[in-house]
Amino acid sequence: MKKVGIIGVGEYLPKKILTNADLEKMVDTSDEWITTRTGIKERRIASSHEAASDLAINAAKEALKDARLKPQGLDLIIIATITPDMQFPSTACLVQANLGAKNAVCFDISAACAGFVYAIIVAQQFIARGTYKNALVVGTEVLSSITDWDDRSTCVLFGDGAGAAVLSEVKSGGILSTYLGSDGSMANLLMMPAGGSRNPATHKTIDKRLHYIKMEGNEIFKSAVKIMVDTAQIVLKQAGLKCSDVDLVIPHQANVRIIMAMAKRLGLPSDRVFLNIEKYGNMSSASTATALCEAVKVGRIKKGDIILLDAFGAGLVWGACLIKW
Ligand code: ACO
């Protein structure tokens, strides 16, 4: 098996900023409630001509530049998204065409907020076995397109963005250990009920507002902390490392209270946890992806550091990846 590492990162955030003050004018909420309950101050909203592939392409170009790799050098493109441009073809194929990555095999992964971690681990398998050499993995979401802007319990939480990583064989370090988990018995806690084969789009599904995110946030909250702690402990044990060996945790950015409860249980000081939720809210698969990119850009990740990616989301699904940078 070959060692696999991340050799380039990139991100793209739409220009439009929606603040908590803006939301106060749209639904019965307050900056105080949103800040104390979630840690979110503002989020980005894609323009009407920006779809998931557009965000992904911008993030991918930055990651390819960072990796010093031409699009033709890609053998594999995996896009993690729950807001694809359309049901089919895959958003990965649309990204491929735009980049001119004509040698790449392309497909999407649906693993909600854990999508970027899932995609990294899938890409790692192909590279480790020598099937493919260079992979582009992108978490991209236009959650504003499936957000019910009349529902205060969800609309304050989500935002749009994309983050990308290029994976390749590395001589030293790289991905040390990985873990994925799923529990479909909790699928009802977070879903978009219509638009698939169960409830195809009709006037009735639109009138019932079934094409929007429905979430039982409270129930997810209860599982989230335990899932993230258990997942972190599993990958650390597999790698023969302790929490104190971790230089930086890049968690899924669903709620700052979930993240800080996780850090406390793991015995990690808050300065070893990277946050961007304040600026962007929950961007599903794009949250861990952009957080990783920004941590690199601001110098929070240095060569030799031990990095823990830890995410969970609708499914429920979860996953973690321990990386020596
Ligand atoms: N502004 C003001 N009040 C609000 C708002 C709002 N935006 N939203 C809800 N409330 C009210 C509720 O109506 C309720 O009022 P009541 O007590 O009078 O009934 C009160 O605030 C408390 O509501 P809760 O839902 O209990 O609030 P909680 O503290 O649980 O916070 C939250 C809600 C932020 C959604 C939290 O439960 C959470 O973060 N859950 C996890 C979400 C998550 O991780 N999702 C998975 C990833 S997303 C993905 O996979 C796409």
Side-chain angles (χ1 to χ4, degrees):
M1 291 290 206
K2 297 175 194 303
K3 285 191 171 77
V4 182
I6 293 174
I7 61 162
V9 289
E11 66 174 344
Y12 174 78
L13 283 313
K15 302 260 170 315
K16 185 180 168 191
I17 295 173
L18 186 72
T19 65
N20 291 350
D22 296 327
L23 281 162
E24 284 178 355
K25 294 178 201 137
M26 295 162 63
V27 287
D28 180 15
T29 191
S30 65
D31 172 49
E32 200 267 333
W33 191 96
I34 303 170
T35 307
T36 54
R37 297 290 179 118
T38 71
I40 302 166
K41 288 302 244 182
E42 57 188 45
R43 65 288 292 145
R44 300 298 178 98
I45 305 293
S47 68
S48 56
H49 63 268
E50 281 180 318
S53 68
D54 301 309
L55 275 53
I57 287 158
N58 286 314
K61 283 180 180 166
E62 195 174 275
L64 285 166
K65 195 173 168 202
D66 191 36
R68 296 190 183 90
L69 188 71
K70 290 201 171 17
Q72 297 86 331
L74 288 172
D75 313 294
L76 176 65
I77 298 176
I78 308 178
I79 305 286
T81 186
I82 53 166
T83 48
D85 286 31
M86 41 198 139
Q87 286 263 15
F88 67 89
S90 71
T91 301
C93 281
L94 305 178
V95 171
Q96 174 199 30
N98 182 284
L99 293 176
K102 57 183 183 181
N103 301 313
V105 167
C106 306
F107 58 90
D108 291 358
I109 281 185
S110 173
C113 305
F116 184 66
V117 175
Y118 265 64
I120 283 183
I121 295 171
V122 172
Q124 180 213 6
Q125 309 303 311
F126 282 114
I127 299 168
R129 286 168 194 278
T131 313
Y132 300 126
K133 203 158 168 264
N134 300 309
L136 169 70
V137 166
V138 189
T140 183
E141 303 289 5
V142 182
L143 292 178
S144 61
S145 66
I146 57 166
T147 297
D148 184 345
W149 294 105
D150 289 340
D151 175 10
R152 70 173 184 175
S153 70
T154 53
C155 76
V156 303
L157 304 173
F158 302 110
D160 303 335
V166 176
L167 281 81
S168 196
E169 185 182 354
V170 290
K171 292 208 166 58
S172 61
I175 296 172
L176 303 176
S177 67
T178 61
Y179 178 71
L180 294 174
S182 312
D183 183 355
S185 71
M186 290 193 272
N188 59 318
L189 297 181
L190 181 51
M191 61 165 71
M192 189 176 88
S197 56
R198 174 76 53 199
N199 293 305
T202 60
H203 290 291
K204 207 167 146 192
T205 61
I206 290 167
D207 290 345
K208 288 174 133 181
R209 307 181 82 77
L210 298 181
H211 296 267
Y212 294 127
I213 298 170
K214 308 285 178 200
M215 181 171 79
E216 289 182 37
N218 245 321
E219 288 306 311
I220 296 179
F221 199 108
K222 284 180 205 158
S223 306
V225 178
K226 183 174 182 334
I227 287 173
M228 290 185 87
V229 169
D230 290 351
T231 307
Q233 284 169 339
I234 289 168
V235 286
L236 282 164
K237 193 172 174 202
Q238 281 172 2
L241 294 174
K242 299 186 294 299
C243 269
S244 53
D245 296 316
V246 175
D247 294 292
L248 194 65
V249 181
I250 312 276
H252 172 51
Q253 316 272 319
N255 188 316
V256 80
R257 289 187 291 142
I258 294 175
I259 296 170
M260 286 311 160
M262 173 205 72
K264 196 174 168 196
R265 283 203 207 165
L266 288 171
L268 277 165
S270 55
D271 64 351
R272 275 198 262 153
V273 180
F274 193 84
L275 296 174
N276 66 4
I277 187 171
E278 188 179 345
K279 295 186 289 179
Y280 307 135
N282 178 352
M283 299 183 289
S284 191
S285 67
S287 277
T288 37
T290 56
L292 175 67
C293 176
E294 293 187 356
V296 172
K297 278 184 181 173
V298 300
R300 289 282 300 277
I301 298 179
K302 289 177 246 28
K303 194 163 168 48
D305 279 357
I306 302 290
I307 308 303
L308 171 65
L309 295 179
D310 194 347
F312 72 96
L316 297 182
V317 292
W318 55 90
C321 185
L322 201 62
I323 306 170
K324 184 164 185 183
W325 205 255

